[in-house]
Amino acid sequence: MIGGIIGDIVGSIYEDGNMKSKDFPLWGEGCHFTDDTVLTVATADCILKGGRFEDYYYSYTSQFPSCGYGTNFMKWYFTRKFRNQFVPYQSFGNGSAMRVGPVGWGYERMTDVLDKSRDSAICTHNHEEGVRGAQAIATCVFLARKNESKGHIKRFVEEKFSYNLDCSLEDGQKNHKWNATSMQTVPQAITAFLESDNYEDCVRNAIAIGGDSDTLACMAGSIAEAYYGVPSELREKAYTYLPEKIIEVIEKFEFRFGK
Ligand SMILES: [Mg+2]
């Protein structure tokens, strides 16, 4: 889970000032955790304690307000707060894929990973693209931590989810306008991983694409963590940006489900 969170923190300052290059300070001035981190930790906490994903997304948003949540997500939040109703909003944004990483760690069978990633998505992202994006990222995390090769992961995702993973990172950089849809950003995040040499290189690849940097790096970083592991100095640095409550859940989750 820390792999996605580092991506979010590192990418946070490049969303509005896109880098389009891999040469940038990893911990740039003003970088911070955003909604990607909060909702990823909410997913992990739900897997640890049981219950419904939507209750955790609501509760974590209450505890950590002002973290850059999307407009529609905030409408969802206030509908729950003032009308006591959860109303999914047919989203095909990448919000369901950015928070799903822990699902790839929390279950031992592919069918469970697919079912639970669907559950985690549909409470907000009940559009089929929102579900597909979440399932694809969780599947990549699952296969990577099971030591499957990049070639296997690529073929599996292409066959199961019909994403085109043949466009290179360079193509993505050239063509990328700011876009936060699942169908565009999920395959790009997976490509950032497939073309990487190590964990940090993957995060740099994702940010070099441009666009929705924190979420691209969060999704790609989640997969890279499962495949390469995360260097301890990066983890320690990330902790300096995080509140105690979030670190506690990360440690509990990784203790129970880590490699
Ligand atoms: Mg964000």
Side-chain angles (χ1 to χ4, degrees):
M1 170 167 39
I2 193 68
I5 292 172
I6 292 169
D8 174 42
I9 297 172
V10 170
S12 63
I13 53 168
Y14 299 117
E15 187 176 347
D16 293 324
N18 279 179
M19 284 313 295
K20 301 264 177 183
S21 145
K22 287 171 74 169
D23 184 21
F24 55 85
L26 199 62
W27 307 97
E29 204 181 322
C31 67
H32 55 277
F33 71 92
T34 81
D35 54 340
D36 305 47
T37 291
V38 175
L39 297 175
T40 296
V41 172
T43 300
D45 208 9
C46 179
I47 295 169
L48 277 169
K49 295 189 191 136
R52 301 188 304 174
F53 287 107
E54 51 266 50
D55 292 321
Y56 287 82
Y57 298 144
Y58 175 72
S59 147
Y60 270 76
T61 306
S62 304
Q63 293 171 67
F64 300 98
S66 310
C67 289
Y69 303 97
T71 312
N72 289 330
F73 182 81
M74 285 315 289
K75 279 188 199 149
W76 175 87
Y77 172 81
F78 285 119
T79 305
R80 164 62 181 80
K81 183 166 176 162
F82 296 120
R83 292 204 276 136
N84 205 21
Q85 274 181 317
F86 284 121
V87 183
Y89 47 94
Q90 279 285 325
S91 177
F92 48 82
N94 53 19
S96 55
M98 81 186 184
R99 68 191 183 206
V100 80
V103 172
W105 289 94
Y107 303 95
E108 280 312 307
R109 293 184 321 176
M110 178 66 89
T111 52
D112 293 332
V113 170
L114 291 170
D115 287 349
K116 294 293 177 178
S117 46
R118 168 180 292 276
D119 283 353
S120 76
I122 54 170
C123 55
T124 52
H125 292 56
N126 54 333
H127 190 284
E128 65 181 76
E129 291 292 350
V131 172
R132 176 166 76 135
Q135 287 183 320
I137 295 292
T139 297
C140 288
V141 171
F142 177 75
L143 294 174
R145 83 174 170 89
K146 293 291 183 190
N147 301 317
E148 295 292 353
S149 68
K150 285 184 184 171
H152 176 83
I153 295 171
K154 179 171 184 282
R155 280 191 302 277
F156 190 93
V157 170
E158 284 174 335
E159 274 164 35
K160 176 95 187 154
F161 301 105
S162 311
Y163 282 129
N164 175 13
L165 298 176
D166 278 327
C167 49
S168 71
L169 272 186
E170 241 174 278
D171 296 340
Q173 268 173 331
K174 272 189 228 135
N175 301 328
H176 198 102
K177 299 209 175 61
W178 204 92
N179 183 306
T181 63
S182 201
M183 43 287 203
Q184 177 150 349
T185 57
V186 166
Q188 285 177 329
I190 298 171
T191 305
F193 158 67
L194 292 172
E195 293 192 14
S196 66
D197 299 326
N198 55 53
Y199 173 78
E200 183 178 326
D201 189 53
C202 171
V203 169
R204 289 184 182 278
N205 277 346
I207 289 170
I209 295 169
D212 190 6
S213 303
D214 54 343
T215 298
L216 280 166
C218 180
M219 295 187 287
S222 299
I223 307 167
E225 172 187 12
Y227 190 83
Y228 302 111
V230 170
S232 56
E233 65 273 16
L234 293 186
R235 171 189 298 274
E236 277 154 33
K237 180 72 178 170
Y239 279 5
T240 66
Y241 294 90
L242 296 170
E244 196 52 46
K245 157 116 212 224
I246 285 201
I247 295 174
E248 225 173 82
V249 178
I250 297 170
E251 300 254 296
K252 267 193 200 144
F253 186 84
E254 293 187 352
F255 180 74
R256 176 134 164 229
F257 297 110
K259 251 183 189 174

